[in-house]
Amino acid sequence: FFFFQAEDGIRDAQESRGLGDVYKRQEYMGAPMKHILDSKSISDDKKLGLTKIYMEEMMSAHFGQGWELLWKRPDFKKTTVPTEEQYLQMVAMKTGVLTRMAGRMTCSLLDLSPQISTYLTDFTQKLGMAFQIQEDIVSLREAKTLQKQSKDVKTSETSNDWKMSLVVIHCLNHLKSQQREELIQLLCRNPAQPKDLIQAIDLFNSTNSLQYSKNQAIKIIEDAWKSVEHIPVSYTHLT
């Protein structure tokens, strides 16, 4: 996971990224686990179980991060468009596992039943997935606003590091061939020009891809709440 994070940081030219930032992120991710292992109020057996959860979810994040990095490659963008199902699987593994890990650890610490743990784990994973989709939408809209105001735009969407986000995938699948090729060229351009962002977002709007992605995030949240509908009321009063 560290090495994929390192490559992600190196490939992103923004000042806020790079190896120094990767080390900070690893420290941030590892700090809660260190706190757990140092705790004297948690049994060794419980620590072992929590460590297993941490390793399993970090391995999933490793694959999710690698999947996304593959999709960022210009040679991949020119030949392949991931399906929405593939995107959702990737984001479940890359971002969803982080909230999923928190859910699994909480269930373990509270000694909840396997069935209740399944409900809560599914709930927390879907929250992470929806967050990632919405974050990509917000980043694009904020970047466009700053660009129109002639301000610096420090998001990956203005560099050569475009994500294959749900917005991009939906748009590519609904553009006519000429416009589709135009968008692919924008996604692969290195270095990208400031005007590329405005041009790309205009294409996203032409296929209603921003609103579509927002609706999908809302749907995932709605499905997440359905995951916990069957939890007995008694579990909502844990102390």
Side-chain angles (χ1 to χ4, degrees):
F1 181 66
F2 173 83
F3 292 108
F4 276 104
Q5 287 285 305
E7 182 180 358
D8 187 29
I10 293 170
R11 286 162 61 96
D12 194 330
Q14 298 178 64
E15 293 180 359
S16 63
R17 305 291 292 276
L19 278 176
D21 190 58
V22 171
Y23 285 120
K24 291 178 183 178
R25 280 184 279 168
Q26 293 308 306
E27 181 180 1
Y28 176 78
M29 289 296 298
M33 198 65 218
K34 184 179 185 302
H35 176 76
I36 289 172
L37 294 175
D38 290 343
S39 175
K40 295 181 179 179
S41 61
I42 301 175
S43 69
D44 289 342
D45 286 344
K46 185 72 70 177
K47 288 179 181 179
L48 182 61
L50 293 171
T51 301
K52 182 174 182 290
I53 291 171
Y54 179 83
M55 296 302 295
E56 289 174 350
E57 300 302 350
M58 286 297 98
M59 184 62 72
S60 292
H62 172 101
F63 285 111
Q65 186 78 32
W67 210 348
E68 183 180 57
L69 287 173
L70 171 65
W71 293 352
K72 287 181 179 181
R73 290 174 47 168
D75 57 338
F76 186 91
K77 292 174 182 175
K78 291 178 181 178
T79 60
T80 309
V81 178
T83 65
E84 289 189 23
E85 291 75 15
Q86 288 173 330
Y87 169 82
L88 292 175
Q89 181 62 44
M90 181 279 292
V91 81
M93 297 176 71
K94 174 180 175 273
T95 309
V97 296
L98 302 180
T99 47
R100 172 187 169 92
M101 178 172 64
R104 288 184 67 189
M105 286 185 169
T106 299
C107 292
S108 176
L109 287 169
L110 294 175
D111 292 317
L112 300 183
S113 70
Q115 185 179 40
I116 299 301
S117 297
T118 298
Y119 292 148
L120 289 174
T121 296
D122 187 57
F123 173 75
T124 53
Q125 182 175 29
K126 287 176 177 174
L127 291 183
M129 294 170 64
F131 168 81
Q132 182 65 70
I133 295 172
Q134 184 63 25
E135 182 187 47
D136 291 340
I137 296 170
V138 170
S139 294
L140 284 168
R141 287 178 169 163
E142 287 183 346
K144 182 176 181 180
T145 299
L146 290 174
Q147 186 61 49
K148 284 185 173 181
Q149 295 173 352
S150 298
K151 296 181 179 180
D152 290 337
V153 184
K154 296 183 178 180
T155 69
S156 63
E157 283 73 23
T158 58
S159 71
N160 61 311
D161 199 26
W162 283 86
K163 289 181 178 180
M164 272 291 184
S165 63
L166 184 58
V167 174
V168 172
I169 292 170
H170 180 269
C171 187
L172 285 171
N173 285 327
H174 290 81
L175 285 173
K176 294 181 180 180
S177 58
Q178 183 176 349
Q179 290 179 314
R180 187 175 186 274
E181 183 61 30
E182 180 184 342
L183 179 56
I184 290 174
Q185 292 301 319
L186 291 173
L187 299 176
C188 297
R189 189 169 294 167
N190 182 13
Q193 301 299 316
K195 64 181 181 180
D196 293 344
L197 177 67
I198 303 298
Q199 189 175 352
I201 292 182
D202 286 342
L203 290 171
F204 298 153
N205 286 330
S206 73
T207 56
N208 204 32
S209 296
L210 289 164
Q211 186 60 49
Y212 174 84
S213 298
K214 180 179 179 180
N215 291 342
Q216 290 301 102
I218 293 172
K219 182 178 182 298
I220 291 173
I221 291 292
E222 292 173 346
D223 288 342
W225 282 111
K226 291 178 182 177
S227 301
V228 294
E229 284 180 351
H230 303 294
I231 295 180
V233 176
S234 58
Y235 279 94
T236 64
H237 299 288
L238 290 171
T239 57

